[in-house]
Amino acid sequence: MTSRNLDFFECANFFKGLISFSYVVMDITYLEDEETVAETVTEALRCVGYNPFHERCAQALLDRVSCGVDPGACYLLDELNNVETNPDNVTGSQVALELMAQDSSARIVIGTGCSIDELPPEVQEAINHGKITYLRKPFRMAELAGMYD
């Protein structure tokens, strides 16, 4: 038996076959300001059955949804705490609260390296009441696959 190093996508495809979930392609808007993270997570989202739309700028996402949101739409939001890549200084938490205000059926996940305690109190409360799901980076494939179950 020989061994070799598997790259991320080979591992993702391998585990995709092991994870049991209903495989329904679902559109998801993914807000992430760091390009290398976005590329990796976008591909991982595809591997587990999502059709991701990557948005880098929180303000652009807010502008887009101000024209109306699809009821029950799915969002995976980074907290966007990198000042260099987030010049508008709009956070993922602010986007989450605006999405909740526009559509109470929106399916929102905050996926960040921040702890829950570092998020704004309104977002902590929404997480505690099950209105927002919290995922800590780095993500695991099973977490991505089941985040909207």
Side-chain angles (χ1 to χ4, degrees):
M1 179 176 195
T2 61
S3 66
R4 66 185 181 102
N5 292 329
L6 297 176
D7 71 14
F8 173 82
F9 299 112
E10 287 176 307
C11 290
N13 285 324
F14 173 76
F15 284 110
K16 175 179 150 187
L18 297 179
I19 298 169
S20 63
F21 61 93
S22 60
Y23 196 87
V24 176
V25 175
M26 185 183 310
D27 291 340
I28 180 172
T29 299
Y30 174 44
L31 178 64
E32 172 62 62
D33 57 338
E34 296 187 41
E35 201 60 39
T36 55
V37 173
E39 289 171 5
T40 302
V41 174
T42 296
E43 186 59 33
L45 289 168
R46 282 191 188 99
C47 286
V48 295
Y50 296 107
N51 180 32
F53 170 78
H54 172 233
E55 183 66 70
R56 183 176 182 172
C57 174
Q59 189 59 56
L61 175 55
L62 287 174
D63 292 345
R64 187 165 54 90
V65 299
S66 70
C67 299
V69 296
D70 294 330
C74 299
Y75 302 89
L76 173 58
L77 309 172
D78 179 48
E79 188 55 14
L80 304 178
N81 50 9
N82 185 337
V83 178
E84 292 177 15
T85 56
N86 184 19
D88 296 328
N89 206 28
V90 178
T91 67
S93 290
Q94 290 169 309
V95 172
L97 295 171
E98 180 62 31
L99 291 169
M100 286 176 45
Q102 288 188 35
D103 176 17
S104 62
S105 67
R107 298 164 72 179
I108 302 167
V109 175
I110 295 279
T112 182
C114 299
S115 71
I116 291 176
D117 295 339
E118 295 175 90
L119 298 173
E122 303 90 348
V123 173
Q124 291 179 36
E125 184 177 329
I127 290 168
N128 292 334
H129 288 95
K131 296 178 181 177
I132 294 176
T133 301
Y134 169 80
L135 287 181
R136 180 84 188 236
K137 286 181 181 176
F139 303 132
R140 293 181 176 87
M141 293 299 288
E143 290 173 327
L144 292 176
M147 67 185 162
Y148 295 109
D149 289 342

